[in-house]
Amino acid sequence: MQVDAEQFDSAIELFQKVIEADSTSPKGYFFIAAAYSNLVSDYRNFGYKSVFYEHVDKAIEIGELREKSGNATVEDLFYYGGAVGYRGIFRSFDGDWWGAFTDGLKGRGLLAKAYKADSSYMDVYLGLGTYDYWRSAKTKVLWWLPFFSDKRDQGIEEIKKAMGNGKFSTHEGKYALMRIYFDYDKYEEAIRQWEEVEKLNPEDPFSHYWLGRSYIMTEQYENALLSFETILAVYLRSPYYDPGGEMECRYFMGLCQSKLGNLPGALEQLRLAATMAEQLSGRKDLEEILEKIEPLLENVEDEIK
């Protein structure tokens, strides 16, 4: 979800109080890690990576101690498993796929254990579904093996179960499905999902990103351009601005302009993106876009000649 500066600061202050109330629980550390994870995801700002790891590792450390003591509550297992899952997501950003896989598997096991202890704790299905979908999506070449079948639909249904029956998963599930539907090539579903997300935050950069890319895949370039213009406006006025996010927006805006026949507009955006790309070389989270800017720029320049 979009992280508003004032709301983010208030949320961190609240979660710090949770830690002060019980520093032996993983709960407060988990929530702070989740907040920073959302911030990084929304704004492509990896400057908050270290503070994320500081809190997620602390949540995992406490959760592990509680589990080993034999006194872990269902809530402890939930936040412990969720923290391990969040760490796995970050490891994937760094290209550490083995670390991401092992964290995901461990996190799922902890969430399943929490559900076994209390089947009314339906929020665990958000984590279970997220893991089941992405494990399948990232291991397509292994589906012929008995332990690597396609569980993407199962994962989606588990997320929906959490949204319908959990206490905390309704909103987060809606955001998660935006990303999943795009990955699953269900672009029209992603566009329809936006109708739900828009009610929560019409300027959410994370959702607009996947909405814009879904519009591109369905050749709705004018709508896509509006989404990336919205994201860029949010980025440029945000205290969480990162040039990586701006570069991506300008690339996609240039792509849309080129598809719409506005070559001068495309050239302007792509030249700005190319200049920024020189300073962002080596960013693993931006590899896909970094590789595409120069070829598209050269193509537009050739068309203008």
Side-chain angles (χ1 to χ4, degrees):
M1 64 185 72
Q2 182 187 340
V3 185
D4 177 85
E6 183 176 344
Q7 292 178 345
F8 178 77
D9 292 342
S10 297
I12 293 298
E13 183 179 345
L14 175 62
F15 299 147
Q16 288 287 2
K17 291 179 180 179
V18 172
I19 293 173
E20 292 169 8
D22 184 1
S23 61
T24 65
S25 167
K27 184 175 182 179
Y29 298 102
F30 166 84
F31 278 125
I32 291 180
Y36 280 111
S37 177
N38 284 338
L39 191 153
V40 169
S41 180
D42 285 358
Y43 292 90
R44 298 293 194 271
N45 191 332
F46 279 74
Y48 295 94
K49 188 166 126 179
S50 61
V51 71
F52 163 80
Y53 273 115
E54 175 188 343
H55 288 89
V56 82
D57 286 343
K58 187 65 175 179
I60 292 170
E61 176 188 342
I62 293 172
E64 185 175 15
L65 288 173
R66 286 208 167 183
E67 185 191 23
K68 286 181 176 179
S69 73
N71 297 319
T73 65
V74 172
E75 187 177 78
D76 291 335
L77 294 171
F78 174 76
Y79 291 118
Y80 176 23
V84 173
Y86 269 121
R87 188 176 67 181
I89 292 171
F90 258 75
R91 285 179 166 176
S92 72
F93 291 155
D94 288 331
D96 179 9
W97 295 107
W98 178 248
F101 177 80
T102 54
D103 269 353
L105 184 61
K106 181 178 180 180
R108 192 194 192 288
L110 290 164
L111 293 173
K113 185 175 180 179
Y115 182 73
K116 184 177 181 180
D118 183 356
S119 60
S120 69
Y121 214 83
M122 299 298 289
D123 288 293
V124 300
Y125 273 103
L126 178 61
L128 296 176
T130 300
Y131 173 79
D132 287 338
Y133 178 85
W134 287 108
R135 180 178 186 265
S136 291
K138 297 299 183 183
T139 56
K140 291 180 181 179
V141 296
L142 302 176
W143 284 352
W144 61 275
L145 293 171
F147 298 108
F148 288 91
S149 57
D150 184 0
K151 294 186 176 180
R152 290 178 297 173
D153 289 331
Q154 175 182 318
I156 290 172
E157 290 307 310
E158 287 169 333
I159 291 172
K160 289 181 178 178
K161 184 182 290 188
M163 291 167 62
N165 300 285
K167 296 179 181 178
F168 315 110
S169 302
T170 302
H171 291 177
E172 289 302 317
K174 291 178 180 179
Y175 291 106
L177 287 176
M178 284 288 298
R179 173 70 178 93
I180 283 173
Y181 285 142
F182 178 85
D183 178 80
Y184 206 168
D185 301 334
K186 294 186 175 185
Y187 308 119
E188 295 293 348
E189 287 288 337
I191 292 169
R192 282 193 288 272
Q193 184 66 24
W194 167 248
E195 295 175 6
E196 295 298 317
V197 174
E198 185 179 20
K199 298 172 186 176
L200 304 175
N201 188 344
E203 290 190 327
D204 174 49
F206 175 85
S207 302
H208 265 292
Y209 180 83
W210 299 112
L211 175 66
R213 294 195 63 175
S214 295
Y215 279 137
I216 289 172
M217 297 304 295
T218 54
E219 300 184 356
Q220 299 180 61
Y221 300 113
E222 289 186 0
N223 288 334
L225 182 59
L226 287 174
S227 276
F228 287 105
E229 287 175 343
T230 298
I231 299 171
L232 183 59
V234 171
Y235 283 171
L236 293 178
R237 68 172 185 260
S238 172
Y240 310 118
Y241 166 86
D242 183 271
E246 180 180 353
M247 182 199 70
E248 276 195 292
C249 283
R250 295 198 183 280
Y251 164 77
F252 283 116
M253 289 165 64
L255 173 63
C256 292
Q257 294 282 24
S258 69
K259 294 292 186 179
L260 291 168
N262 181 3
L263 297 181
L267 187 63
E268 178 185 4
Q269 296 301 333
L270 292 170
R271 282 178 172 171
L272 287 169
T275 299
M276 300 182 77
E278 295 175 2
Q279 308 299 320
L280 296 166
S281 178
R283 283 264 302 257
K284 290 183 178 181
D285 60 302
L286 298 172
E287 282 179 339
E288 177 187 358
I289 304 301
L290 288 169
E291 293 174 358
K292 292 180 177 180
I293 293 173
E294 281 298 332
L296 181 57
L297 175 57
E298 292 174 3
N299 184 61
V300 171
E301 288 175 334
D302 288 342
E303 287 190 54
I304 289 178
K305 290 177 181 178

